[in-house]
Amino acid sequence: MKIIMKKTFSLLTIILLLSVSACSKDDSTDNSAALNTIANRQQTGSSANDLLSDKKFKSMVIEVVYVTGFEPSSTAINNFINFLTARTYKPNGISVVKHAISSPGNSPYTDQEIVNIENANRTKYNNSDQIAVWAFFTDGKSSKDTETSLILGTAYRNTSFVIFEQTIQNLSDSPFEPNRSLLETTIITHEFGHILGLTNLGTPLQSNHEDTAHPKHCVEKTCLMYWSSETGAGISDMLSAGTALQLDAQCIADLRANGGR
């Protein structure tokens, strides 16, 4: 049964799920023997300094993979690149490569199924001076969705995140619902904030602003890294302003102290 009912959008809990567990040993083996995949299969937040600074990697490539029919908007991807440019040092640039895949037919998707899809389809991995990121946009929902809560995105490895694009499409671009590009931008940058080590997830705190009720999130309600309220009011408030949420000064200070802008 489809659990998303647009008339009850404001009553849904919108969860930006963060997976902080390390990948299993099985994740490091696949049929890509010629590729050095291990460095891109580490714990979320562990590559924050590599992503933020130019100490080791001078450029970044974002591999955007989506199920046919569920491509993210160009506006959201451009906003994502602008976000990265504003917060990271990559003198040789940030590039995006996109390609579609056929539906794996796995909806709702479990965490392990998302990992398996990455293992089978990812082509970009770190090399000598370029760090690679994987972003997957699904044609289905998360297996962790309930009748009262929805997962919109998950950061699950040091350079990997998933966006449940079908869920976002079902929650956007209709009366009383978010603008789709705005919602995509917010979820993408929130999840990548976790990959950058926010909040207290590999990028050390410079001040006490971690939400103890929702660990690894910022306590400030206006910050991109804030855990949205139980009723979804956080998302609604973001929409009323007409712009995606931004990092607050405390989160920016953390990133700067860890090599970022």
Side-chain angles (χ1 to χ4, degrees):
M1 180 179 70
K2 185 177 182 181
I3 69 169
I4 300 170
M5 297 181 65
K6 295 181 178 179
K7 290 184 179 179
T8 61
F9 169 75
S10 63
L11 300 179
L12 296 172
T13 301
I14 306 303
I15 301 177
L16 307 178
L17 179 69
L18 164 66
S19 172
V20 298
S21 60
C23 301
S24 68
K25 291 182 180 180
D26 290 342
D27 291 345
S28 64
T29 59
D30 64 7
N31 59 3
S32 303
L35 297 173
N36 180 10
T37 63
I38 295 175
N40 294 96
R41 297 182 176 181
Q42 304 301 313
Q43 187 170 340
T44 308
S46 61
S47 291
N49 179 261
D50 287 340
L51 288 157
L52 289 164
S53 75
D54 61 356
K55 182 178 179 180
K56 182 176 181 180
F57 298 103
K58 309 300 182 185
S59 65
M60 185 188 310
V61 58
I62 313 296
E63 184 174 9
V64 173
V65 177
Y66 56 91
V67 176
T68 300
F70 293 87
E71 181 178 1
S73 66
S74 58
T75 297
I77 296 302
N78 289 337
N79 289 342
F80 180 34
I81 298 306
N82 290 338
F83 172 84
L84 293 174
T85 301
R87 296 289 150 233
T88 69
Y89 288 99
K90 297 301 169 202
N92 292 344
I94 299 170
S95 59
V96 175
V97 295
K98 296 196 295 184
H99 58 94
I101 63 172
S102 299
S103 174
N106 292 337
S107 182
Y109 289 94
T110 66
D111 292 345
Q112 188 57 54
E113 285 169 342
I114 294 297
V115 167
N116 292 344
I117 290 166
E118 178 185 357
N119 291 352
N121 293 279
R122 182 168 181 165
T123 65
K124 299 295 183 182
Y125 293 89
N126 298 355
N127 60 33
S128 60
D129 64 356
Q130 182 179 73
I131 192 164
V133 171
W134 161 271
F136 178 51
F137 294 78
T138 73
D139 61 336
K141 63 184 182 179
S142 168
S143 64
K144 295 181 179 179
D145 283 359
T146 71
E147 291 185 355
T148 57
S149 64
L150 301 174
I151 307 302
L152 302 186
T154 304
Y156 62 94
R157 279 173 169 169
N158 59 325
T159 61
S160 306
F161 66 98
V162 58
I163 302 297
F164 293 98
E165 181 67 17
Q166 184 189 61
T167 301
I168 287 178
Q169 291 188 11
N170 286 341
L171 290 174
S172 59
D173 279 0
S174 292
F176 309 110
E177 291 183 339
N179 169 274
R180 184 168 300 160
S181 295
L182 187 62
L183 185 56
E184 287 174 336
T185 297
T186 300
I187 306 309
I188 291 168
T189 52
H190 178 99
E191 295 309 328
F192 204 78
H194 288 311
I195 288 177
L196 292 179
L198 297 172
T199 303
N200 197 26
L201 184 65
T203 288
L205 296 176
Q206 300 304 299
S207 59
N208 185 21
H209 65 104
E210 183 179 6
D211 186 348
T212 56
H214 303 289
K216 313 310 176 187
H217 290 85
C218 183
V219 71
E220 294 297 330
K221 293 182 180 180
T222 58
C223 180
L224 172 65
M225 300 311 296
Y226 179 71
W227 181 271
S228 294
S229 70
E230 291 283 308
T231 62
I235 297 295
S236 298
D237 290 346
M238 172 272 292
L239 293 172
S240 66
T243 58
L245 293 175
Q246 304 294 317
L247 294 174
D248 80 326
Q250 294 178 99
C251 282
I252 291 174
D254 293 349
L255 297 183
R256 287 174 173 166
N258 197 25
R261 293 183 186 273

